Amino acid sequence: MFGLRLGQDRDDVRLSAALLDQTDGALPKEAAEDLLLGLAVLRFTQSNSVCYLRGGMTLGIGAGQQSRVDCTRLAGAKTDTWWLRRHPAVRALAFRPDVRRQDRINWRLRVIEGDLTPDEGERLAQELRSDDRAR
């Protein structure tokens, strides 16, 4: 910019449990592992990023938004969707055997979003087994 070049050194800090020794009190082993995973995940995202983790899995990432609030909101929405996909009511949707896997995923997501139009509700009913339509 105007002949000025900005540069940033590569983040070459070794991710290890020693990084977490600066925390107050001892962390449970699972929490320490999740924190290290979060550091690794966020290392390769845009700045101002937020991620939710649990049990060695990244559940939601918000990256590239203008504010940390928006990053947190986006990551939280992705995490909510991850949890709701495992809800017993969503898992109990029994599709006809000929419904493709991706269509099943799409219908589950639409149910989670909770704003099916009447037409979509009818189409979903057609995709379910006849014994589940009565529910």
Side-chain angles (χ1 to χ4, degrees):
M1 178 178 214
F2 302 111
L4 176 70
R5 182 177 179 170
L6 299 175
Q8 182 177 349
D9 292 335
R10 181 178 175 86
D11 181 4
D12 58 1
V13 174
R14 182 168 162 75
L15 299 179
S16 68
L19 283 174
L20 306 176
D21 289 342
Q22 301 170 11
T23 59
D24 295 334
L27 291 172
K29 182 179 183 237
E30 295 81 16
E33 289 172 356
D34 284 347
L35 283 171
L36 289 172
L37 174 61
L39 288 171
V41 167
L42 292 176
R43 177 178 272 182
F44 298 102
T45 62
Q46 300 288 326
S47 63
N48 216 25
S49 300
V50 173
C51 72
Y52 288 89
L53 301 111
R54 182 169 187 206
M57 296 181 289
T58 302
L59 306 181
I61 301 174
Q65 287 68 36
Q66 290 294 320
S67 74
R68 182 83 29 107
V69 171
D70 290 336
C71 287
T72 304
R73 187 177 293 130
L74 179 61
K78 291 177 182 180
T79 303
D80 287 345
T81 299
W82 185 89
W83 278 110
L84 290 171
R85 286 180 68 182
R86 281 137 190 86
H87 190 279
V90 175
R91 297 280 223 176
L93 291 174
F95 292 93
R96 291 189 338 255
D98 62 322
V99 176
R100 297 179 323 171
R101 179 177 182 266
Q102 188 59 50
D103 290 335
R104 293 170 191 234
I105 292 169
N106 291 341
W107 279 118
R108 286 184 179 117
L109 290 174
R110 291 295 295 134
V111 168
I112 288 168
E113 291 167 356
D115 58 353
L116 288 173
T117 65
D119 180 54
E120 289 173 324
E122 289 175 22
R123 290 192 348 236
L124 173 60
Q126 293 171 1
E127 301 291 332
L128 297 173
R129 292 185 196 149
S130 59
D131 54 333
D132 279 0
R133 292 182 198 166
R135 289 185 195 182

Short mmCIF file of all heavy atoms in Angstrom, two decimals, residues 8-71:
data_model
loop_
_atom_site.label_atom_id
_atom_site.label_comp_id
_atom_site.label_asym_id
_atom_site.label_seq_id
_atom_site.Cartn_x
_atom_site.Cartn_y
_atom_site.Cartn_z
N GLN A 8 4.10 -10.81 7.98
CA GLN A 8 3.90 -11.45 9.28
C GLN A 8 4.68 -12.74 9.29
O GLN A 8 4.64 -13.51 8.33
CB GLN A 8 2.41 -11.73 9.51
CG GLN A 8 2.11 -12.35 10.84
CD GLN A 8 0.61 -12.54 11.05
OE1 GLN A 8 -0.21 -12.01 10.30
NE2 GLN A 8 0.26 -13.28 12.08
N ASP A 9 5.40 -12.96 10.37
CA ASP A 9 6.16 -14.19 10.49
C ASP A 9 5.23 -15.38 10.61
O ASP A 9 4.10 -15.26 11.11
CB ASP A 9 7.08 -14.15 11.71
CG ASP A 9 8.20 -13.14 11.56
OD1 ASP A 9 8.57 -12.83 10.40
OD2 ASP A 9 8.70 -12.66 12.59
N ARG A 10 5.70 -16.52 10.14
CA ARG A 10 4.93 -17.75 10.23
C ARG A 10 4.75 -18.15 11.69
O ARG A 10 5.65 -17.98 12.52
CB ARG A 10 5.68 -18.85 9.48
CG ARG A 10 4.98 -20.17 9.47
CD ARG A 10 5.80 -21.16 8.64
NE ARG A 10 5.22 -22.46 8.70
CZ ARG A 10 4.25 -22.90 7.90
NH1 ARG A 10 3.77 -22.11 6.98
NH2 ARG A 10 3.78 -24.12 8.01
N ASP A 11 3.57 -18.66 12.01
CA ASP A 11 3.29 -19.14 13.36
C ASP A 11 3.93 -20.52 13.50
O ASP A 11 3.36 -21.52 13.07
CB ASP A 11 1.78 -19.22 13.59
CG ASP A 11 1.42 -19.69 14.97
OD1 ASP A 11 2.33 -19.89 15.81
OD2 ASP A 11 0.22 -19.87 15.24
N ASP A 12 5.10 -20.56 14.08
CA ASP A 12 5.80 -21.84 14.20
C ASP A 12 5.91 -22.33 15.64
O ASP A 12 6.75 -23.15 15.97
CB ASP A 12 7.19 -21.76 13.56
CG ASP A 12 8.05 -20.66 14.18
OD1 ASP A 12 7.59 -19.99 15.10
OD2 ASP A 12 9.20 -20.50 13.73
N VAL A 13 5.02 -21.84 16.48
CA VAL A 13 4.98 -22.30 17.88
C VAL A 13 4.54 -23.76 17.89
O VAL A 13 3.54 -24.13 17.27
CB VAL A 13 4.02 -21.44 18.72
CG1 VAL A 13 3.87 -22.00 20.12
CG2 VAL A 13 4.50 -20.00 18.76
N ARG A 14 5.29 -24.58 18.59
CA ARG A 14 4.94 -26.00 18.69
C ARG A 14 3.75 -26.16 19.64
O ARG A 14 3.78 -25.69 20.77
CB ARG A 14 6.14 -26.78 19.21
CG ARG A 14 5.88 -28.26 19.30
CD ARG A 14 7.20 -28.99 19.54
NE ARG A 14 7.01 -30.32 20.04
CZ ARG A 14 6.61 -31.35 19.32
NH1 ARG A 14 6.35 -31.19 18.05
NH2 ARG A 14 6.45 -32.54 19.86
N LEU A 15 2.71 -26.80 19.14
CA LEU A 15 1.52 -27.01 19.95
C LEU A 15 1.74 -28.23 20.85
O LEU A 15 1.88 -29.35 20.36
CB LEU A 15 0.29 -27.23 19.07
CG LEU A 15 -0.07 -26.06 18.15
CD1 LEU A 15 -1.28 -26.40 17.31
CD2 LEU A 15 -0.30 -24.80 18.93
N SER A 16 1.76 -27.98 22.14
CA SER A 16 1.97 -29.06 23.10
C SER A 16 1.29 -28.68 24.40
O SER A 16 0.88 -27.54 24.61
CB SER A 16 3.46 -29.30 23.33
OG SER A 16 4.02 -28.19 24.01
N ALA A 17 1.19 -29.64 25.29
CA ALA A 17 0.55 -29.40 26.59
C ALA A 17 1.29 -28.33 27.38
O ALA A 17 0.70 -27.68 28.25
CB ALA A 17 0.48 -30.70 27.38
N ALA A 18 2.56 -28.10 27.09
CA ALA A 18 3.34 -27.08 27.80
C ALA A 18 2.75 -25.68 27.58
O ALA A 18 2.88 -24.82 28.45
CB ALA A 18 4.79 -27.12 27.34
N LEU A 19 2.10 -25.46 26.45
CA LEU A 19 1.47 -24.16 26.21
C LEU A 19 0.35 -23.88 27.22
O LEU A 19 0.05 -22.73 27.51
CB LEU A 19 0.86 -24.12 24.80
CG LEU A 19 1.80 -23.92 23.64
CD1 LEU A 19 1.03 -24.05 22.33
CD2 LEU A 19 2.46 -22.56 23.72
N LEU A 20 -0.25 -24.91 27.72
CA LEU A 20 -1.41 -24.76 28.61
C LEU A 20 -1.01 -24.71 30.07
O LEU A 20 -1.87 -24.56 30.94
CB LEU A 20 -2.39 -25.91 28.37
CG LEU A 20 -2.84 -26.09 26.92
CD1 LEU A 20 -3.72 -27.30 26.79
CD2 LEU A 20 -3.52 -24.86 26.39
N ASP A 21 0.27 -24.81 30.37
CA ASP A 21 0.73 -24.77 31.76
C ASP A 21 0.53 -23.41 32.41
O ASP A 21 0.61 -23.29 33.62
CB ASP A 21 2.21 -25.16 31.85
CG ASP A 21 2.43 -26.64 31.57
OD1 ASP A 21 1.44 -27.40 31.65
OD2 ASP A 21 3.58 -27.02 31.27
N GLN A 22 0.26 -22.39 31.62
CA GLN A 22 0.10 -21.05 32.15
C GLN A 22 -1.31 -20.79 32.68
O GLN A 22 -1.61 -19.70 33.14
CB GLN A 22 0.43 -20.03 31.07
CG GLN A 22 1.85 -20.17 30.57
CD GLN A 22 2.09 -19.32 29.35
OE1 GLN A 22 1.28 -18.49 28.99
NE2 GLN A 22 3.23 -19.53 28.71
N THR A 23 -2.20 -21.76 32.60
CA THR A 23 -3.57 -21.57 33.05
C THR A 23 -3.65 -21.72 34.57
O THR A 23 -2.80 -22.35 35.18
CB THR A 23 -4.51 -22.61 32.40
OG1 THR A 23 -4.05 -23.91 32.74
CG2 THR A 23 -4.54 -22.45 30.90
N ASP A 24 -4.66 -21.12 35.15
CA ASP A 24 -4.88 -21.25 36.60
C ASP A 24 -5.51 -22.60 36.89
O ASP A 24 -6.59 -22.91 36.41
CB ASP A 24 -5.82 -20.15 37.10
CG ASP A 24 -5.20 -18.77 36.95
OD1 ASP A 24 -3.96 -18.68 36.95
OD2 ASP A 24 -5.95 -17.79 36.84
N GLY A 25 -4.83 -23.41 37.67
CA GLY A 25 -5.38 -24.72 38.01
C GLY A 25 -5.11 -25.74 36.93
O GLY A 25 -4.74 -25.42 35.80
N ALA A 26 -5.33 -26.98 37.28
CA ALA A 26 -5.09 -28.08 36.34
C ALA A 26 -6.31 -28.29 35.47
O ALA A 26 -7.45 -28.25 35.93
CB ALA A 26 -4.76 -29.36 37.11
N LEU A 27 -6.07 -28.51 34.20
CA LEU A 27 -7.15 -28.80 33.25
C LEU A 27 -7.34 -30.30 33.15
O LEU A 27 -6.36 -31.05 33.16
CB LEU A 27 -6.80 -28.26 31.87
CG LEU A 27 -6.77 -26.76 31.69
CD1 LEU A 27 -6.20 -26.42 30.32
CD2 LEU A 27 -8.16 -26.19 31.83
N PRO A 28 -8.58 -30.75 33.02
CA PRO A 28 -8.78 -32.17 32.72
C PRO A 28 -8.09 -32.51 31.39
O PRO A 28 -7.97 -31.67 30.50
CB PRO A 28 -10.30 -32.32 32.60
CG PRO A 28 -10.86 -31.12 33.27
CD PRO A 28 -9.84 -30.03 33.15
N LYS A 29 -7.65 -33.74 31.26
CA LYS A 29 -6.92 -34.16 30.06
C LYS A 29 -7.73 -33.91 28.79
O LYS A 29 -7.19 -33.43 27.79
CB LYS A 29 -6.58 -35.65 30.18
CG LYS A 29 -5.77 -36.17 29.01
CD LYS A 29 -5.44 -37.64 29.20
CE LYS A 29 -4.58 -38.09 28.04
NZ LYS A 29 -5.11 -39.18 27.31
N GLU A 30 -9.04 -34.21 28.83
CA GLU A 30 -9.89 -34.02 27.64
C GLU A 30 -9.97 -32.55 27.25
O GLU A 30 -9.96 -32.20 26.07
CB GLU A 30 -11.31 -34.57 27.89
CG GLU A 30 -11.36 -36.07 28.09
CD GLU A 30 -10.99 -36.50 29.50
OE1 GLU A 30 -10.99 -35.65 30.41
OE2 GLU A 30 -10.67 -37.68 29.70
N ALA A 31 -10.06 -31.66 28.26
CA ALA A 31 -10.13 -30.23 27.97
C ALA A 31 -8.83 -29.74 27.35
O ALA A 31 -8.84 -28.95 26.40
CB ALA A 31 -10.45 -29.45 29.25
N ALA A 32 -7.71 -30.22 27.86
CA ALA A 32 -6.41 -29.83 27.31
C ALA A 32 -6.28 -30.29 25.86
O ALA A 32 -5.80 -29.54 25.00
CB ALA A 32 -5.29 -30.40 28.17
N GLU A 33 -6.72 -31.51 25.58
CA GLU A 33 -6.66 -32.02 24.20
C GLU A 33 -7.55 -31.20 23.27
O GLU A 33 -7.15 -30.88 22.15
CB GLU A 33 -7.06 -33.49 24.17
CG GLU A 33 -6.03 -34.40 24.80
CD GLU A 33 -6.51 -35.84 24.94
OE1 GLU A 33 -7.69 -36.13 24.62
OE2 GLU A 33 -5.71 -36.69 25.36
N ASP A 34 -8.74 -30.83 23.74
CA ASP A 34 -9.63 -30.00 22.93
C ASP A 34 -9.03 -28.62 22.69
O ASP A 34 -9.14 -28.07 21.59
CB ASP A 34 -11.01 -29.88 23.58
CG ASP A 34 -11.86 -31.13 23.41
OD1 ASP A 34 -11.49 -31.99 22.58
OD2 ASP A 34 -12.87 -31.25 24.11
N LEU A 35 -8.41 -28.04 23.71
CA LEU A 35 -7.77 -26.73 23.53
C LEU A 35 -6.65 -26.79 22.50
O LEU A 35 -6.53 -25.89 21.66
CB LEU A 35 -7.24 -26.22 24.86
CG LEU A 35 -8.27 -25.66 25.82
CD1 LEU A 35 -7.64 -25.39 27.19
CD2 LEU A 35 -8.87 -24.38 25.26
N LEU A 36 -5.85 -27.83 22.55
CA LEU A 36 -4.78 -27.97 21.56
C LEU A 36 -5.34 -28.16 20.15
O LEU A 36 -4.81 -27.61 19.18
CB LEU A 36 -3.85 -29.13 21.94
CG LEU A 36 -2.97 -28.86 23.16
CD1 LEU A 36 -2.23 -30.13 23.57
CD2 LEU A 36 -2.00 -27.73 22.90
N LEU A 37 -6.41 -28.93 20.04
CA LEU A 37 -7.06 -29.10 18.74
C LEU A 37 -7.58 -27.75 18.25
O LEU A 37 -7.41 -27.39 17.08
CB LEU A 37 -8.20 -30.11 18.83
CG LEU A 37 -9.06 -30.25 17.56
CD1 LEU A 37 -8.21 -30.73 16.38
CD2 LEU A 37 -10.22 -31.18 17.82
N GLY A 38 -8.21 -26.99 19.15
CA GLY A 38 -8.71 -25.67 18.77
C GLY A 38 -7.60 -24.75 18.29
O GLY A 38 -7.77 -24.01 17.32
N LEU A 39 -6.46 -24.79 18.96
CA LEU A 39 -5.33 -23.98 18.52
C LEU A 39 -4.86 -24.38 17.13
O LEU A 39 -4.54 -23.54 16.29
CB LEU A 39 -4.18 -24.09 19.53
CG LEU A 39 -4.39 -23.40 20.86
CD1 LEU A 39 -3.29 -23.77 21.85
CD2 LEU A 39 -4.46 -21.89 20.68
N ALA A 40 -4.84 -25.69 16.87
CA ALA A 40 -4.43 -26.17 15.54
C ALA A 40 -5.44 -25.76 14.47
O ALA A 40 -5.06 -25.32 13.38
CB ALA A 40 -4.26 -27.69 15.56
N VAL A 41 -6.72 -25.88 14.79
CA VAL A 41 -7.76 -25.51 13.82
C VAL A 41 -7.71 -24.02 13.52
O VAL A 41 -7.72 -23.60 12.37
CB VAL A 41 -9.17 -25.91 14.36
CG1 VAL A 41 -10.27 -25.27 13.55
CG2 VAL A 41 -9.31 -27.42 14.38
N LEU A 42 -7.64 -23.21 14.55
CA LEU A 42 -7.67 -21.76 14.36
C LEU A 42 -6.39 -21.22 13.73
O LEU A 42 -6.40 -20.15 13.13
CB LEU A 42 -7.95 -21.07 15.69
CG LEU A 42 -9.36 -21.30 16.23
CD1 LEU A 42 -9.51 -20.66 17.60
CD2 LEU A 42 -10.41 -20.78 15.27
N ARG A 43 -5.33 -21.98 13.82
CA ARG A 43 -4.07 -21.56 13.19
C ARG A 43 -4.25 -21.42 11.68
O ARG A 43 -3.58 -20.61 11.04
CB ARG A 43 -2.99 -22.59 13.50
CG ARG A 43 -1.66 -22.31 12.84
CD ARG A 43 -0.64 -23.33 13.23
NE ARG A 43 -0.01 -22.88 14.47
CZ ARG A 43 0.97 -23.52 15.07
NH1 ARG A 43 1.42 -24.66 14.59
NH2 ARG A 43 1.50 -23.05 16.17
N PHE A 44 -5.14 -22.20 11.10
CA PHE A 44 -5.31 -22.22 9.65
C PHE A 44 -6.60 -21.54 9.19
O PHE A 44 -7.10 -21.84 8.11
CB PHE A 44 -5.22 -23.66 9.14
CG PHE A 44 -3.88 -24.27 9.41
CD1 PHE A 44 -3.70 -25.15 10.45
CD2 PHE A 44 -2.79 -23.92 8.64
CE1 PHE A 44 -2.46 -25.70 10.72
CE2 PHE A 44 -1.54 -24.47 8.89
CZ PHE A 44 -1.38 -25.36 9.94
N THR A 45 -7.15 -20.66 10.00
CA THR A 45 -8.34 -19.90 9.60
C THR A 45 -7.99 -18.42 9.56
O THR A 45 -6.88 -18.02 9.90
CB THR A 45 -9.51 -20.10 10.59
OG1 THR A 45 -9.11 -19.61 11.88
CG2 THR A 45 -9.91 -21.56 10.69
N GLN A 46 -8.96 -17.63 9.14
CA GLN A 46 -8.78 -16.17 9.13
C GLN A 46 -8.58 -15.68 10.56
O GLN A 46 -8.95 -16.34 11.51
CB GLN A 46 -10.03 -15.51 8.55
CG GLN A 46 -10.35 -15.91 7.14
CD GLN A 46 -9.38 -15.31 6.15
OE1 GLN A 46 -8.90 -14.22 6.33
NE2 GLN A 46 -9.07 -16.07 5.12
N SER A 47 -8.07 -14.48 10.68
CA SER A 47 -7.96 -13.90 12.02
C SER A 47 -9.37 -13.62 12.54
O SER A 47 -10.34 -13.63 11.78
CB SER A 47 -7.17 -12.60 11.97
OG SER A 47 -7.83 -11.64 11.17
N ASN A 48 -9.48 -13.38 13.82
CA ASN A 48 -10.77 -13.09 14.45
C ASN A 48 -11.71 -14.29 14.37
O ASN A 48 -12.91 -14.14 14.16
CB ASN A 48 -11.41 -11.86 13.80
CG ASN A 48 -12.15 -11.03 14.81
OD1 ASN A 48 -11.83 -11.06 15.99
ND2 ASN A 48 -13.12 -10.28 14.37
N SER A 49 -11.18 -15.48 14.52
CA SER A 49 -11.98 -16.70 14.39
C SER A 49 -12.34 -17.28 15.75
O SER A 49 -11.67 -17.04 16.74
CB SER A 49 -11.20 -17.76 13.60
OG SER A 49 -10.88 -17.29 12.32
N VAL A 50 -13.43 -18.06 15.75
CA VAL A 50 -13.92 -18.73 16.95
C VAL A 50 -14.27 -20.15 16.55
O VAL A 50 -14.80 -20.38 15.46
CB VAL A 50 -15.19 -18.02 17.50
CG1 VAL A 50 -15.79 -18.80 18.65
CG2 VAL A 50 -14.87 -16.60 17.92
N CYS A 51 -13.95 -21.12 17.43
CA CYS A 51 -14.40 -22.48 17.15
C CYS A 51 -14.87 -23.15 18.44
O CYS A 51 -14.41 -22.82 19.52
CB CYS A 51 -13.32 -23.32 16.46
SG CYS A 51 -11.94 -23.81 17.47
N TYR A 52 -15.85 -24.02 18.28
CA TYR A 52 -16.38 -24.83 19.38
C TYR A 52 -15.90 -26.25 19.17
O TYR A 52 -15.97 -26.78 18.06
CB TYR A 52 -17.91 -24.81 19.38
CG TYR A 52 -18.53 -23.51 19.81
CD1 TYR A 52 -18.80 -22.50 18.90
CD2 TYR A 52 -18.86 -23.31 21.15
CE1 TYR A 52 -19.38 -21.32 19.30
CE2 TYR A 52 -19.44 -22.12 21.56
CZ TYR A 52 -19.70 -21.13 20.63
OH TYR A 52 -20.26 -19.95 21.04
N LEU A 53 -15.42 -26.86 20.26
CA LEU A 53 -14.91 -28.22 20.20
C LEU A 53 -15.47 -29.02 21.35
O LEU A 53 -15.79 -28.47 22.40
CB LEU A 53 -13.38 -28.23 20.32
CG LEU A 53 -12.64 -27.44 19.26
CD1 LEU A 53 -12.03 -26.24 19.86
CD2 LEU A 53 -11.64 -28.32 18.60
N ARG A 54 -15.52 -30.32 21.14
CA ARG A 54 -15.91 -31.23 22.23
C ARG A 54 -15.50 -32.64 21.85
O ARG A 54 -15.75 -33.08 20.73
CB ARG A 54 -17.41 -31.18 22.47
CG ARG A 54 -17.76 -32.08 23.64
CD ARG A 54 -19.16 -31.90 24.09
NE ARG A 54 -19.33 -32.68 25.31
CZ ARG A 54 -20.46 -33.15 25.71
NH1 ARG A 54 -21.55 -32.89 25.04
NH2 ARG A 54 -20.53 -33.86 26.81
N GLY A 55 -14.89 -33.33 22.79
CA GLY A 55 -14.54 -34.73 22.57
C GLY A 55 -13.63 -34.97 21.39
O GLY A 55 -13.78 -35.96 20.69
N GLY A 56 -12.70 -34.06 21.13
CA GLY A 56 -11.77 -34.24 20.03
C GLY A 56 -12.36 -33.93 18.67
O GLY A 56 -11.79 -34.31 17.65
N MET A 57 -13.50 -33.22 18.63
CA MET A 57 -14.14 -32.86 17.36
C MET A 57 -14.36 -31.36 17.31
O MET A 57 -14.71 -30.75 18.32
CB MET A 57 -15.49 -33.55 17.22
CG MET A 57 -15.42 -35.04 17.14
SD MET A 57 -17.05 -35.79 16.94
CE MET A 57 -17.75 -35.52 18.55
N THR A 58 -14.19 -30.80 16.14
CA THR A 58 -14.55 -29.41 15.91
C THR A 58 -16.01 -29.38 15.49
O THR A 58 -16.39 -29.98 14.49
CB THR A 58 -13.67 -28.80 14.81
OG1 THR A 58 -12.31 -28.92 15.19
CG2 THR A 58 -14.01 -27.34 14.60
N LEU A 59 -16.85 -28.70 16.27
CA LEU A 59 -18.29 -28.70 16.02
C LEU A 59 -18.74 -27.51 15.18
O LEU A 59 -19.71 -27.60 14.45
CB LEU A 59 -19.05 -28.73 17.34
CG LEU A 59 -18.71 -29.85 18.31
CD1 LEU A 59 -19.57 -29.75 19.55
CD2 LEU A 59 -18.84 -31.20 17.65
N GLY A 60 -18.07 -26.38 15.34
CA GLY A 60 -18.47 -25.20 14.59
C GLY A 60 -17.33 -24.19 14.54
O GLY A 60 -16.63 -24.00 15.52
N ILE A 61 -17.14 -23.57 13.37
CA ILE A 61 -16.11 -22.55 13.20
C ILE A 61 -16.76 -21.31 12.62
O ILE A 61 -17.54 -21.39 11.68
CB ILE A 61 -15.00 -23.02 12.24
CG1 ILE A 61 -14.33 -24.29 12.75
CG2 ILE A 61 -13.96 -21.92 12.05
CD1 ILE A 61 -13.33 -24.88 11.77
N GLY A 62 -16.44 -20.18 13.19
CA GLY A 62 -16.82 -18.89 12.63
C GLY A 62 -15.53 -18.17 12.27
O GLY A 62 -14.67 -17.96 13.13
N ALA A 63 -15.35 -17.85 11.01
CA ALA A 63 -14.09 -17.24 10.58
C ALA A 63 -14.35 -16.24 9.45
O ALA A 63 -15.19 -16.46 8.59
CB ALA A 63 -13.13 -18.31 10.09
N GLY A 64 -13.60 -15.15 9.48
CA GLY A 64 -13.65 -14.18 8.40
C GLY A 64 -14.69 -13.09 8.55
O GLY A 64 -14.78 -12.20 7.72
N GLN A 65 -15.50 -13.13 9.61
CA GLN A 65 -16.48 -12.08 9.81
C GLN A 65 -15.78 -10.83 10.36
O GLN A 65 -14.67 -10.90 10.85
CB GLN A 65 -17.59 -12.53 10.78
CG GLN A 65 -18.55 -13.53 10.21
CD GLN A 65 -17.94 -14.88 9.94
OE1 GLN A 65 -17.09 -15.34 10.68
NE2 GLN A 65 -18.34 -15.51 8.85
N GLN A 66 -16.48 -9.71 10.30
CA GLN A 66 -15.88 -8.45 10.75
C GLN A 66 -15.73 -8.38 12.26
O GLN A 66 -14.85 -7.72 12.77
CB GLN A 66 -16.73 -7.27 10.27
CG GLN A 66 -16.66 -7.06 8.78
CD GLN A 66 -15.27 -6.64 8.33
OE1 GLN A 66 -14.61 -5.86 8.99
NE2 GLN A 66 -14.81 -7.20 7.23
N SER A 67 -16.61 -9.03 12.99
CA SER A 67 -16.55 -8.92 14.45
C SER A 67 -16.52 -10.30 15.10
O SER A 67 -17.00 -11.28 14.54
CB SER A 67 -17.76 -8.14 14.98
OG SER A 67 -18.92 -8.92 14.92
N ARG A 68 -15.97 -10.34 16.28
CA ARG A 68 -15.89 -11.58 17.05
C ARG A 68 -17.30 -12.04 17.42
O ARG A 68 -17.57 -13.23 17.52
CB ARG A 68 -15.04 -11.35 18.29
CG ARG A 68 -14.82 -12.51 19.16
CD ARG A 68 -13.73 -13.51 18.81
NE ARG A 68 -12.58 -13.09 18.10
CZ ARG A 68 -11.36 -12.96 18.59
NH1 ARG A 68 -11.14 -13.17 19.86
NH2 ARG A 68 -10.36 -12.62 17.84
N VAL A 69 -18.22 -11.09 17.62
CA VAL A 69 -19.61 -11.44 17.95
C VAL A 69 -20.22 -12.24 16.80
O VAL A 69 -20.85 -13.27 17.01
CB VAL A 69 -20.45 -10.18 18.25
CG1 VAL A 69 -21.92 -10.51 18.38
CG2 VAL A 69 -19.93 -9.49 19.51
N ASP A 70 -20.02 -11.78 15.57
CA ASP A 70 -20.56 -12.49 14.42
C ASP A 70 -19.89 -13.85 14.24
O ASP A 70 -20.55 -14.83 13.88
CB ASP A 70 -20.41 -11.67 13.14
CG ASP A 70 -21.31 -10.45 13.14
OD1 ASP A 70 -22.34 -10.46 13.84
OD2 ASP A 70 -20.98 -9.49 12.42
N CYS A 71 -18.59 -13.92 14.51
CA CYS A 71 -17.88 -15.21 14.44
C CYS A 71 -18.47 -16.19 15.44
O CYS A 71 -18.69 -17.36 15.13
CB CYS A 71 -16.39 -15.02 14.75
SG CYS A 71 -15.45 -14.24 13.46
#
